[in-house]
Amino acid sequence: MLAGSKSGEFAVPEKLLDKAGNVLRVGQYWDYDAKKWSGVPESKFKEVLGIGATAVDWDDDGDLDLVLGSFDGKVLVRLNEGSSTMPAFATESIILLDGDAPLEVPGHDVIPRIADWDGDGRFDILSGSGAGGVYWLRNVGARGAPAFAGPQIIIRPSESKGDQANPTSPGERTQVCATDYDGDGDLDLLVGDYNGDGGQMHGWVWLFRRH
């Protein structure tokens, strides 16, 4: 976490903690001191590797909660049981479901972003994927009690790697930002990616204008 100030500067980075004082993580993490992978023993997600997070008032109680993405394609939420000024995050994550099964984004590497993609007044979840493409998880729940439909493709994964130095579509490990880039009143997409070609690595940012 980087705490900002009105001057636009940031404080020294600090680890985000849960209400028990533990570093907030989904489950598995790299222990730099022990130089090995470790899990959170008391977590039922101790084998899950969390790789992305974004903040939103999930339960409509006036404070920010965290939506977490995992390497294996899962989406979870960590509720703030404190307040907006004194957050106290729960000691366990809640996994999102699609019916009775975990909600999953194809291709792993979920880095969630929040946007009201369909303009219905409820926040949705957008995510890229390790295999490429961009997916929309539509919020079909109610205010304060979100629920999500299975992933719908907004941008299809590239079917061919092609020329990695001059690609014609996003590659792998996509990350997405939804914003009104051209000021026309609707949400466009900025998509970052990774392309590897014979030891050469390329990263691109793509603009998809909404029509």
Side-chain angles (χ1 to χ4, degrees):
M1 179 180 69
L2 291 172
S5 67
K6 292 182 179 179
S7 65
E9 298 179 348
F10 291 94
V12 175
E14 57 184 287
K15 295 175 181 177
L16 200 59
L17 305 179
D18 65 24
K19 65 180 185 180
N22 299 314
V23 175
L24 198 156
R25 54 174 69 93
V26 174
Q28 191 173 189
Y29 66 99
W30 179 256
D31 187 327
Y32 284 93
D33 294 328
K35 297 181 179 179
K36 66 177 183 178
W37 288 101
S38 299
V40 180
E42 62 274 16
S43 173
K44 59 184 176 182
F45 305 116
K46 62 183 179 182
E47 301 300 327
V48 176
L49 175 61
I51 61 169
T54 190
V56 67
D57 186 357
W58 181 268
D59 47 9
D60 198 35
D61 64 352
D63 58 38
L64 290 176
D65 310 289
L66 295 176
V67 178
L68 309 173
S70 72
F71 176 79
D72 63 354
K74 306 293 194 304
V75 186
L76 308 95
V77 63
R78 185 71 68 97
L79 295 176
N80 181 358
E81 298 176 351
S83 66
S84 60
T85 56
M86 296 186 65
F89 291 98
T91 57
E92 181 65 291
S93 301
I94 300 169
I95 195 164
L96 301 192
L97 300 176
D98 180 11
D100 295 328
L103 188 63
E104 293 190 35
V105 172
H108 61 81
D109 282 353
V110 174
I111 300 180
R113 295 293 180 261
I114 299 298
D116 182 3
W117 185 247
D118 56 359
D120 66 354
R122 294 172 292 191
F123 67 84
D124 305 306
I125 298 174
L126 303 178
S127 181
S129 166
V134 176
Y135 294 86
W136 170 36
L137 306 179
R138 181 171 178 253
N139 189 345
V140 295
R143 188 181 180 111
F148 294 86
Q152 298 183 44
I153 297 174
I154 299 177
I155 298 172
R156 292 190 175 279
S158 177
E159 295 182 359
S160 173
K161 290 187 177 181
D163 182 357
Q164 297 304 299
N166 296 283
T168 56
S169 61
E172 303 173 334
R173 305 181 195 175
T174 44
Q175 298 186 36
V176 61
C177 172
T179 185
D180 185 1
Y181 185 85
D182 48 14
D184 64 353
D186 57 30
L187 290 176
D188 311 298
L189 293 179
L190 294 171
V191 181
D193 72 354
Y194 163 86
N195 284 283
D197 179 22
Q200 298 295 317
M201 292 182 293
H202 308 279
W204 300 83
V205 178
W206 303 78
L207 169 62
F208 292 86
R209 298 179 190 271
R210 198 168 189 181
H211 299 292

